[in-house]
Amino acid sequence: MTSGVDTRESAARETLTLFDTTLRDGAQTMGVDFSLADKTRIAALLDDLGVDYIEGGYPGANPLDTEFFTRRPPLKQARFTAFGMTKRAGRSAENDPGVAGLLAADAQAITFVAKSWDYQVHVALGCTLEENLDGITQSIRAATKAGREALLDCEHFFDGYKANPAYALECAKTAYAAGARWIVLCDTNGGTLPHEIEEIVCAVTAHVPGTSLGIHAHNDTEMAVANSLAAVRGGARQIQGTLNGLGERCGNANLVSLIPTLLLKAPYAQTLQLNVALEKLPMLTKISHTLDEILNRSPNRHAPYVGASAFATKAGIHASALMKEPKTYEHVPPESVGNKRRLLVSDQAGRSNILAELQRIGVDVDAKDPRVTRLLEEVKQKEALGYAYEGADASFELLARRVLGEVPDFFEIERFHVNVERRYDARGAFVVVSEAIVKLRIDGEVLISAAEGEGPVNALDLALRKDLGRYQSFIADLQLVDYRVRVFQGGTDAVTRVLIEFSEASGETWSTVGVSSNIIEASFQALIDAITYKLLKSGAN
């Protein structure tokens, strides 16, 4: 199965092309620095998904991008694309080093960028409008003569069209006449609204066929996805975007949101044909999270389609309806995009949430069992103290199984001690040293461990996991991947909530929570829960 509609309708559907610029425009995101290995891995993910074009970067602009084009990734279906400027005014395309670098790059297609706003031509380029048009013509012709597919990014097109429609159109028409396969209309400043995008794109189709028009939308007004869809309604048949909406300033159109919308929502699913097959769609959540992993950042829990909260329900009345019929509060099945349904356990939860969560974690309990009521009451009491189980799935499971009598006493903490000392080192420099000691008992045996760490919590974590006796082998692959602190009920004696996320070798992750007026104690609670959960799921006894 490759589509969500009857195959008899496929022939009538128009092709919509997807162009990914994660590795070029996405690399301009603040705090994002791709390595060569990162770029290769991301390109493979995009190619496997079915994206039509992968823009690898700007060869000649920096050593990394230049090297990436000398080590072209082995793509199965996507067209590998280089990006660069049209020729400079005052020289020919043959004598322009930038154009020469693009032609030398090992790429099937070349995307040139040119100003299409007369104001930008005069101010940014400092040349005449005619010289800018000549640069477009010569650059496109040079690429096509070299056997490359040529694209033109009409930078600032929508602002340019509103200021001087005749010149903006002339830029697009010039590129098309010179042989460009795609003319991409760019909302470079990200300030154009959907109704304007649709109207202007529609007007351009009177001069350039929609089958040669693309949209490149920035997200400065949170409209990039909406603007991309508006351009499609206006007639454009290429969308440019990035994974997770990466990009300069506020980012680009998010392909992770656009792809499922195009494949699953009317009228797009019935009228357009994508190279991304419907059976590839369940890969989407994993691809999105893999990118975050590469960038060493936590996934956006509230991201549409792929976020942990995208199909999460907190209110008890909603959970009750979901258990009867998922369509009551889900616009698409979560598994269609590789996500999963979550009925959150919180102070707003009812028995439906508790029962659904118990079912999800594999706890078999009768709906009328009085322990369910006891568990619900305990959850609400705990959350009144500051606990948050909706973001700490492992701590909730432990709480539930303890109420049901299913958690062994693996170990008992007798005491712990943490010391933070600021002192001079041997070189006479001030250093801060954190040390922790943990004393615990396992089967009557007392074990004492000590460790130094980057901070008090790190030292405590290392000491706790340094020697767990006969359970040590079970926690060998345990890794702390995220640590979050929230202080509420303000003041120096404020209550602190600590959420800790751990992972194991299989890639599975889980979160635990601790609450106390002492941040170290709150952290220790979360650490103990994390280790206990690992032992429980590993079958330790």
Side-chain angles (χ1 to χ4, degrees):
M1 181 176 68
T2 59
S3 70
V5 300
D6 193 304
T7 54
R8 292 171 296 182
E9 300 177 6
S10 298
R13 290 187 288 158
E14 294 184 75
T15 298
L16 181 67
T17 299
L18 297 179
F19 183 110
D20 181 89
T21 181
T22 302
L23 302 180
R24 198 273 303 174
D25 214 342
Q28 297 185 56
T29 308
M30 185 179 296
V32 169
D33 293 291
F34 294 123
S35 67
L36 189 63
D38 292 339
K39 284 201 165 196
T40 302
R41 186 180 177 190
I42 293 167
L45 290 172
L46 291 164
D47 186 44
D48 191 33
L49 180 62
V51 168
D52 300 280
Y53 291 82
I54 297 174
E55 193 169 58
Y58 194 154
N62 59 73
L64 177 63
D65 280 6
T66 301
E67 184 177 3
F68 191 44
F69 281 90
T70 63
R71 300 186 186 184
R72 175 176 161 181
L75 304 178
K76 298 176 182 177
Q77 51 186 332
R79 297 181 71 77
F80 193 49
T81 309
F83 173 90
M85 295 178 62
T86 53
K87 80 163 193 74
R88 299 175 185 176
R91 63 179 66 190
S92 66
E94 291 76 14
N95 293 317
D96 188 284
V99 174
L102 291 171
L103 296 177
D106 188 7
Q108 298 155 291
I110 297 174
T111 299
F112 292 101
V113 60
K115 306 292 185 185
S116 54
W117 184 3
D118 57 353
Y119 170 77
Q120 289 278 347
V121 174
H122 292 307
V123 174
L125 296 182
C127 67
T128 67
L129 300 183
E130 292 73 21
E131 286 174 323
N132 184 52
L133 294 174
D134 180 60
I136 292 172
T137 298
Q138 286 202 41
S139 301
I140 297 294
R141 286 178 177 173
T144 56
K145 183 180 179 181
R148 310 297 176 80
E149 183 177 324
L151 300 85
L152 183 75
D153 278 1
C154 291
E155 193 177 29
H156 298 286
F157 182 84
F158 295 95
D159 289 322
Y161 186 92
K162 286 184 277 188
N164 186 342
Y167 186 73
L169 279 171
E170 194 60 35
C171 292
K173 290 161 59 179
T174 297
Y176 184 66
R181 170 63 185 88
W182 292 102
I183 293 86
V184 183
L185 312 180
C186 303
D187 186 28
T188 308
N189 289 347
T192 312
L193 300 178
H195 69 280
E196 297 176 296
I197 295 281
E198 184 172 357
E199 180 182 331
I200 292 172
V201 171
C202 188
V204 176
T205 60
H207 305 272
V208 176
T211 51
S212 290
L213 288 178
I215 178 69
H216 180 107
H218 279 260
N219 204 38
D220 297 73
T221 57
E222 196 68 25
M223 298 286 180
V225 168
N227 281 343
S228 298
L229 295 174
V232 171
R233 292 195 302 273
R237 289 298 176 261
Q238 184 196 97
I239 293 177
Q240 293 196 0
T242 59
L243 289 177
N244 293 349
L246 292 183
E248 189 177 17
R249 302 186 312 275
C250 303
N252 288 36
N254 188 352
L255 289 180
V256 176
S257 296
L258 279 162
I259 289 171
T261 297
L262 293 165
L263 285 174
L264 300 175
K265 299 290 186 177
Y268 311 106
Q270 288 74 34
T271 59
L272 300 171
Q273 178 72 44
L274 272 65
N275 192 43
V276 177
L278 199 60
E279 61 262 27
K280 291 285 188 178
L281 201 52
M283 298 170 49
L284 204 59
T285 297
K286 184 176 181 180
I287 289 173
S288 172
H289 292 179
T290 298
L291 177 63
D292 286 321
E293 177 186 307
I294 290 171
L295 297 176
N296 194 29
R297 64 184 191 181
S298 297
N300 178 7
R301 299 182 64 85
H302 303 287
Y305 291 107
V306 299
S309 297
F311 299 96
T313 298
K314 188 171 181 177
I317 189 172
H318 293 181
S320 178
L322 266 174
M323 290 182 69
K324 295 174 183 176
E325 175 49 68
K327 289 183 180 179
T328 54
Y329 286 97
E330 291 176 353
H331 66 107
V332 297
E335 58 273 10
S336 67
V337 290
N339 209 335
K340 62 184 179 180
R341 181 178 302 115
R342 298 180 66 218
L343 298 180
L344 303 178
V345 176
S346 74
D347 59 354
Q348 297 183 37
R351 290 176 62 87
S352 297
N353 297 67
I354 295 291
L355 290 169
E357 186 64 8
L358 290 175
Q359 183 180 31
R360 185 188 71 81
I361 63 180
V363 175
D364 186 17
V365 60
D366 189 275
K368 297 180 181 179
D369 191 318
R371 293 177 297 177
V372 175
T373 301
R374 193 190 323 154
L375 176 58
L376 178 58
E377 291 173 351
E378 187 157 352
V379 167
K380 292 189 175 184
Q381 289 173 2
K382 287 273 192 179
E383 293 223 346
L385 296 174
Y387 288 83
Y389 291 108
E390 62 189 67
D393 49 354
S395 284
F396 168 75
E397 182 169 342
L398 288 175
L399 178 64
R401 292 189 182 277
R402 284 186 178 117
V403 170
L404 299 173
E406 298 180 2
V407 181
D409 293 324
F410 295 111
F411 55 88
E412 177 188 355
I413 302 295
E414 291 201 353
R415 68 179 181 88
F416 72 83
H417 175 78
V418 179
N419 180 59
V420 179
E421 182 181 5
R422 188 168 184 258
R423 66 187 183 207
Y424 289 103
D425 64 10
R427 297 179 180 178
F430 263 128
V431 294
V432 178
V433 179
S434 297
E435 301 170 323
I437 299 173
V438 176
K439 180 180 180 182
L440 53 84
R441 186 181 298 272
I442 300 176
D443 298 333
E445 180 186 3
V446 174
L447 301 172
I448 300 176
S449 299
E452 288 187 352
E454 295 298 323
V457 176
N458 179 237
L460 196 55
D461 177 35
L462 295 174
L464 181 60
R465 290 193 280 149
K466 191 172 186 179
D467 184 6
L468 214 58
R470 63 189 181 91
Y471 299 121
Q472 191 64 27
S473 62
F474 291 99
I475 64 170
D477 63 340
L478 198 59
Q479 285 192 325
L480 194 158
V481 295
D482 196 15
Y483 176 84
R484 303 187 300 277
V485 177
R486 180 186 173 191
V487 177
F488 52 100
Q489 299 174 13
T492 55
D493 59 345
V495 176
T496 303
R497 177 194 298 150
V498 171
L499 284 164
I500 295 181
E501 184 177 350
F502 274 87
S503 69
E504 61 181 4
S506 68
E508 182 180 350
T509 63
W510 59 90
S511 297
T512 56
V513 63
V515 172
S516 173
S517 58
N518 185 303
I519 189 173
I520 304 300
E521 167 61 19
S523 303
F524 197 59
Q525 290 176 21
L527 288 170
I528 291 174
D529 263 11
I531 293 172
T532 302
Y533 180 78
K534 169 66 171 173
L535 296 176
L536 185 66
K537 71 187 294 292
S538 300
N541 52 45

